[in-house]
Amino acid sequence: MFEELLRQWDGEEVVVRHDRETGTWIFVCVHSTALGPAMGGTRMKQYGSPAEALEDGLRLAGGMTRKLAIAGLPCGGGKAVLAVPEPLDGHARRALLERYGDLIQALGGTYVTGPDVNTGETDMDAIGSRTSHVFCRSAENGGSGDPSIHTALGTFHGIRAALRHVHGDDEMTGRKVLVQGTGSVGAKLTRLLLDAGAVVLVTDVDEERARATGAETVSADGALELECDVYAPCALGATLTAESIPKLRCRIVAGAANNQLATPEDGERLRAAGILYAPDFVINAGGALHGIGLEQLGWDTAELDRRVEGIGDTLTRIFEAAEAEGITTDEAAERLAAERLRAAGTTMQLH
Ligand code: PHE
C-alpha cells in the first residue's frame, strides 16, 4: 500500500516516523519546493490505517503547492499528518509535538509547518519550542496566532465572488447558505454570513457546537439535500461524490474544507449539474496568507486584508476562464497553478 501510494505520487519526498511512545505515525509530505520551502499545516487525526493517513497527507500536500502558487506566494507545498491511535492531550500531546518539532528541525527548513485540522496555537508553541520552522505560534511566543478568521474571511469573499458570477451581484441579504462543519473556520464563517444578512443553516456531528453558532441547525443526514443558494463544506472529507452530487439542490459550492472533491470527475459532475464550484485550494488560502504573510513576508494587517480579499478576484478569474474554455473550475485552477510554476522557471508538471 505505501509503495503504491508513493510510486504514484508526483511530489518530492515523504519523511516517515513511527513515534513509539504514543503509537503515532508521522508523515511529513513535501510535495514541491519549486517556488520555495514547502509550507503547509500539521493535521492530527485518528485514521483507519497508516496508509490512509499517508494518502491524506500526500493529497493535502499537493493541494498546498497549488494553493500557494495561485496565491502568488514564494513557497512550495507540503503537509504533515500525525496519525494518532487515540485523541491525545496534556503531557503526552506536548511531548509528541516536541519530538515532531525535532523532526522538522532536522529537515533544515525544507518544510515549514502551521496549524491544520485539530492543531492550534498551543500546539504550534510546543513545536516551536524545538524549531523555528513553524507558523502561527501564539503572540507571546512570537507568532501570528490563530489564522482561522482569515480562512473564514477568504471563504466569505469567495462566496461573494461566486454569487456575483451567478447572479450579477453579491447581495447576501436573504441568500441561504448551508455551512457544514462548525469548527474554528466554519463557526467564524457562519458569523460573517449572519452579520451580512444571509440565512444560515448549520450542521455538525457535534450538535452542541453547531447550536453555539446561533444559526439554525439542521441534522447531518439529509442536510446536503436541502435547497439553498450556497453549500459551504467546512468539515472533513470529500463530500462531493458521485452519490452526493445528484442530490444537491444548491447553485454554488464554496467552502473552506480541503479535498472537497472525491475525484477530479466530481468537478465535471458539478459542472454538468450547473453548480458553480469554488476550488477548495483557492478559496481557503486565507489561513496560509495569514501565517506566511505576517510572519515571513512582513505584511501588515492592511496588506493581509487586501490579499485575503483578493481571493475573491482570483476566483472570478477562474470562473471566467472555466466558462470561456468549457472546462471545470477545478481544471481552470489547476492550469493557473501550473502556469505560475512554469513562470517561475520550473518544469514541474502537476497531475
Ligand atoms: N492549514 C491551513 C491550510 O490548509 C493553513 C496554513 C498553512 C496555516 C500554512 C499556516 C501555514 O492552508
Side-chain angles (χ1 to χ4, degrees), residues 21-101:
E21 289 87 335
T22 58
T24 302
W25 282 92
I26 302 177
F27 301 103
V28 180
C29 307
V30 173
H31 180 259
S32 170
T33 55
L35 297 182
M39 300 188 182
T42 298
R43 177 166 291 206
M44 190 189 289
K45 205 174 153 261
Q46 287 170 270
Y47 287 90
S49 67
E52 228 180 79
L54 172 61
E55 192 174 14
D56 204 24
L58 296 176
R59 192 158 165 219
L60 289 162
M64 288 307 302
T65 299
R66 292 158 173 83
K67 181 183 311 189
L68 300 173
I70 288 178
L73 300 182
C75 317
K79 203 90 174 190
V81 172
L82 305 183
V84 290
E86 69 214 348
L88 287 182
D89 47 30
H91 175 73
R93 184 181 181 110
R94 166 122 201 150
L96 166 66
L97 290 164
E98 286 173 359
R99 290 188 291 276
Y100 169 58

Side-chain angles (χ1 to χ4, degrees), residues 39-41 64 67 79 113-116 135-136 147 258 284-285 287-288 291-292:
M39 300 188 182
M64 288 307 302
K67 181 183 311 189
K79 203 90 174 190
T113 199
D116 194 71
F135 293 113
C136 305
N258 278 309
N284 72 12
I292 297 166

Side-chain angles (χ1 to χ4, degrees), residues 49-316:
S49 67
E52 228 180 79
L54 172 61
E55 192 174 14
D56 204 24
L58 296 176
R59 192 158 165 219
L60 289 162
M64 288 307 302
T65 299
R66 292 158 173 83
K67 181 183 311 189
L68 300 173
I70 288 178
L73 300 182
C75 317
K79 203 90 174 190
V81 172
L82 305 183
V84 290
E86 69 214 348
L88 287 182
D89 47 30
H91 175 73
R93 184 181 181 110
R94 166 122 201 150
L96 166 66
L97 290 164
E98 286 173 359
R99 290 188 291 276
Y100 169 58
D102 288 336
L103 174 62
I104 294 181
Q105 181 61 21
L107 299 181
T110 303
Y111 171 67
V112 188
T113 199
D116 194 71
V117 171
N118 196 30
T119 61
E121 220 172 77
T122 317
D123 301 314
M124 297 308 112
D125 283 348
I127 295 167
S129 70
R130 301 302 180 94
T131 181
S132 58
H133 303 304
V134 56
F135 293 113
C136 305
R137 285 166 296 167
S138 62
E140 303 90 88
N141 284 294
S144 60
D146 181 3
S148 59
I149 183 60
H150 289 109
T151 315
L153 263 172
T155 307
F156 179 73
H157 291 307
I159 289 173
R160 287 181 41 204
L163 286 170
R164 271 197 307 275
H165 188 76
V166 169
H167 300 289
D169 72 75
D170 57 10
E171 181 55 53
M172 284 276 183
T173 316
R175 293 273 177 220
K176 198 183 251 188
V177 185
L178 170 69
V179 176
Q180 179 186 47
T182 50
S184 49
V185 175
K188 292 182 179 79
L189 175 63
T190 299
R191 179 45 46 205
L192 292 167
L193 291 164
L194 287 172
D195 289 349
V199 176
V200 188
L201 305 175
V202 293
T203 178
D204 196 296
V205 284
D206 180 343
E207 284 175 32
E208 195 48 51
R209 192 161 81 165
R211 262 195 301 277
T213 60
E216 183 184 336
T217 61
V218 294
S219 106
D221 22 281
L224 293 195
E225 289 151 54
L226 294 171
E227 195 164 344
C228 56
D229 295 293
V230 182
Y231 160 43
C234 297
L236 282 174
T239 57
L240 303 169
T241 67
E243 291 75 46
S244 72
I245 292 169
K247 298 186 193 150
L248 293 178
R249 290 169 69 205
C250 58
R251 186 67 184 75
I252 291 166
V253 174
N258 278 309
N259 289 357
Q260 294 174 26
L261 300 176
T263 67
E265 291 76 57
D266 295 309
E268 186 50 45
R269 287 193 183 95
L270 287 167
R271 188 173 91 95
I275 297 172
L276 181 67
Y277 169 64
D280 48 12
F281 55 83
V282 182
I283 193 171
N284 72 12
L289 290 172
H290 168 115
I292 297 166
L294 295 178
E295 294 185 35
Q296 178 113 358
L297 303 174
W299 296 352
D300 58 15
T301 53
E303 177 69 7
L304 174 60
D305 286 343
R306 210 175 58 72
R307 298 293 193 118
V308 170
E309 198 169 340
I311 289 172
D313 305 324
T314 304
L315 280 168
T316 298

